[in-house]
């Protein structure tokens, strides 16, 4: 039987590249679209080294409907699309909101138009737990009310979910699953693909690994006066390899015709960990001592959030298998492999 083709926008990116590997392992034929604005060609080599063959990649921008049309014409018989391509830096989005609205919202609209033209009806969309804002109760379920976004980045995720809902309600044949990610961390156990932050990382785990590697001097823990057991923020850190598998089961559900309009799923572990627990997990898993200090709160941080993943478990059959320590170890192995490459 011919393998089903899945178009993966942003397939050279952090979550995208891990998902491409997971799709191949599950018997799908992923086709990557990426403009490499926040990813590197080396991700394609890393994927190829893991799966033993190269994966087709179209170097285009998803806001360009004509270029997208060219890909759909060339590829034919696309069974579904996973749309990762988006900007994700919260602070930058506050400074350059139009860049975020143009790219994140514009690419989804262009993609949906072209999917409609080519009668491709299945979409899995990368959303974020940012849509829940500061939740009133924990853990958050998919029924937890969505709140006003506290950054343009967060607003693009909220708007994109609304666009997909409006489209589904319009009678369109396009159905979607929006996966609301909690905090993706870690890297493929082979250390051939992982996160490649541009410049100074704003996310915790790449900052930790770069500090341990001596690229950054010291990690600042943003506040220890929150209402949590040790005073630092609580997040739900999910291993990117587990997160990647959520996309495979979502695609399976879509292709099986089980989605009637739009469905939302939290994708996390169901466990909350403080920043200091994350630091301790890193130290325990790697044997490295981390230089850190407690600093002031970071504006816009949610004090605590973690997922209820019952729906993803029951409906998608999603499960996580990695511990926080394993995720930290894989992030460190990836960091070490980057150091090795830069020495060569
Ligand atoms: C952030 C965004 C989220 C987005 C995600 C994608 C906010 C409020 N949320 O998640 O919407 O989907 O990035 O990139 O911006 N921390 C430190 N020191 C550091 C870095 C982080 O203490 O140097 C702490 C933070 O205060 C937070 C935790 O580590 O408690 C995780 O931070 P981070 O990795 O930036 O993710 P979020 O802020 O949860």
């Amino acid at each position: 039987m011919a393998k089903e083709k899945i178009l993966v926008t942003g397939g050279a990116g952090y979550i995208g590249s891990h998902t491409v590997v997971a799709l191949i392992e599950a018997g799908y034929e992923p086709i990557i679209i990426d403009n490499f604005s926040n990813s590197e060609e080396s991700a394609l080599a890393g994927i190829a080294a893991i799966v033993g063959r190269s994966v087709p990649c179209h170097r285009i921008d998803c806001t360009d409907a004509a270029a997208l049309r060219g890909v759909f014409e060339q590829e034919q018989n696309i069974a579904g699309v996973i749309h990762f391509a988006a900007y994700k830096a919260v602070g930058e989005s506050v400074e350059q909101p139009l860049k975020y609205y143009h790219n994140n919202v514009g690419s989804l609209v262009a993609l949906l138009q072209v999917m409609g033209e080519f009668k491709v009806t299945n979409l899995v969309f990368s959303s974020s737990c940012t849509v829940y804002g500061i939740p009133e109760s924990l853990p958050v379920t998919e029924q937890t009310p969505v709140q006003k976004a506290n950054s343009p980045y967060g607003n693009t995720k909220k708007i994109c979910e609304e666009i997909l809902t409006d489209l589904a309600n319009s009678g369109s044949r396009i159905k979607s699953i929006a996966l609301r990610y909690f905090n993706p961390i870690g890297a493929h156990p082979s250390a051939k693909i992982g996160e490649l932050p541009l410049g100074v990382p704003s996310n915790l785990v790449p900052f930790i690994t770069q500090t341990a590697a001596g690229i950054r001097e010291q990690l600042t823990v943003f506040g220890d006066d929150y209402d949590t057991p040790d005073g630092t923020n609580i997040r739900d850190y999910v291993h990117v390899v587990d997160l990647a598998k959520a996309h495979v089961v979502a695609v399976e559900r879509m292709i099986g015709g089980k989605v009637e309009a739009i469905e939302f799923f939290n994708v996390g572990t169901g466990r909350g960990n403080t920043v200091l627990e994350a630091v301790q997990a890193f130290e325990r898993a790697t044997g490295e001592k981390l230089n850190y200090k407690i600093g002031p709160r970071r504006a816009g941080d949610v004090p605590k959030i973690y997922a209820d993943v019952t729906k993803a478990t029951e409906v998608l059959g999603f499960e996580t298998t990695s511990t926080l320590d394993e995720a930290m170890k894989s992030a460190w192995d990836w960091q070490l492999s980057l150091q090795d490459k830069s020495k060569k």
Side-chain angles (χ1 to χ4, degrees):
M1 204 183 87
K3 291 178 176 174
E4 277 153 320
K5 277 188 193 172
I6 308 295
L7 205 63
V8 185
T9 78
Y14 175 42
I15 308 172
S17 58
H18 289 83
T19 300
V20 166
V21 169
L23 285 167
I24 291 173
E25 284 168 353
Y28 290 97
E29 190 188 335
I31 313 283
I32 297 173
I33 289 182
D34 211 296
N35 67 358
F36 295 94
S37 64
N38 191 17
S39 56
E40 304 272 342
E41 300 268 356
S42 59
L44 302 181
I47 294 170
I50 296 168
V51 301
R53 67 167 174 92
S54 64
V55 176
C57 175
H58 298 265
R59 193 185 183 108
I60 63 152
D61 191 303
C62 284
T63 60
D64 183 346
L68 279 174
R69 241 171 240 124
V71 173
F72 278 71
E73 259 158 28
Q74 200 183 321
E75 294 295 347
Q76 300 284 322
N77 299 322
I78 293 166
V81 181
I82 307 180
H83 182 46
F84 291 105
Y87 293 142
K88 59 174 184 179
V90 176
E92 183 188 60
S93 80
V94 176
E95 282 150 28
Q96 300 180 60
L98 292 184
K99 177 175 169 179
Y100 277 70
Y101 288 112
H102 172 74
N103 190 51
N104 294 10
V105 180
S107 65
L108 179 68
V109 173
L111 180 64
L112 291 169
Q113 279 167 340
V114 176
M115 284 175 66
E117 290 165 24
F118 286 82
K119 303 195 168 31
V120 175
T121 56
N122 299 317
L123 179 75
V124 177
F125 175 70
S126 291
S127 192
S128 165
C129 68
T130 191
V131 299
Y132 297 118
I134 299 178
E136 272 169 25
S137 62
L138 289 171
V140 289
T141 73
E142 292 79 1
Q143 268 76 52
T144 298
V146 164
Q147 293 188 25
K148 186 180 177 319
N150 66 356
S151 72
Y153 158 78
N155 207 24
T156 66
K157 292 295 170 191
K158 186 166 172 268
I159 290 169
C160 286
E161 285 194 352
E162 286 167 356
I163 290 171
L164 292 171
T165 305
D166 289 345
L167 189 65
N169 291 340
S170 75
S172 163
R173 291 177 57 207
I174 297 179
K175 317 292 177 215
S176 51
I177 287 181
L179 297 179
R180 292 172 173 164
Y181 312 149
F182 283 66
N183 286 56
I185 61 164
H188 194 269
S190 66
K192 294 189 186 309
I193 52 173
E195 196 167 2
L196 280 171
L198 281 183
V200 182
S202 51
N203 292 119
L204 179 65
V205 174
F207 205 103
I208 288 178
T209 59
Q210 290 194 4
T211 304
I215 301 168
R216 313 280 155 214
E217 208 184 312
Q218 190 177 43
L219 169 80
T220 302
V221 173
F222 297 138
D224 70 348
D225 56 351
Y226 290 95
D227 178 22
T228 63
D230 63 25
T232 63
N233 285 167
I234 290 176
R235 294 288 182 274
D236 184 334
Y237 295 98
V238 55
H239 196 305
V240 68
V241 172
D242 284 331
L243 175 59
K245 289 182 192 149
H247 297 80
V248 175
V249 285
V251 159
E252 266 157 20
R253 180 168 171 81
M254 300 231 60
I255 292 180
K258 296 197 181 112
V259 179
E260 279 176 16
I262 177 164
E263 293 179 349
F264 302 93
F265 293 96
N266 289 341
V267 189
T269 64
R271 289 185 307 270
N273 285 103
T274 67
V275 179
L276 289 178
E277 283 169 350
V279 168
Q280 285 152 12
F282 175 82
E283 292 187 329
R284 199 166 47 229
T286 64
E288 298 291 322
K289 193 95 198 80
L290 194 75
N291 182 18
Y292 70 90
K293 65 165 189 212
I294 306 293
R297 290 183 176 199
R298 176 171 71 176
D301 266 340
V302 171
K304 41 186 169 180
I305 187 163
Y306 58 97
D308 180 324
V309 288
T310 309
K311 186 178 174 195
T313 308
E314 287 179 356
V315 179
L316 295 176
F318 169 72
E319 55 180 21
T320 52
T321 56
S322 296
T323 62
L324 182 57
D325 288 37
E326 284 163 344
M328 289 294 186
K329 175 75 170 66
S330 69
W332 181 234
D333 289 344
W334 166 243
Q335 181 68 50
L336 292 176
S337 82
L338 291 176
Q339 316 281 107
D340 285 350
K341 264 187 226 140
S342 67
K343 272 191 218 131
K344 278 180 192 154

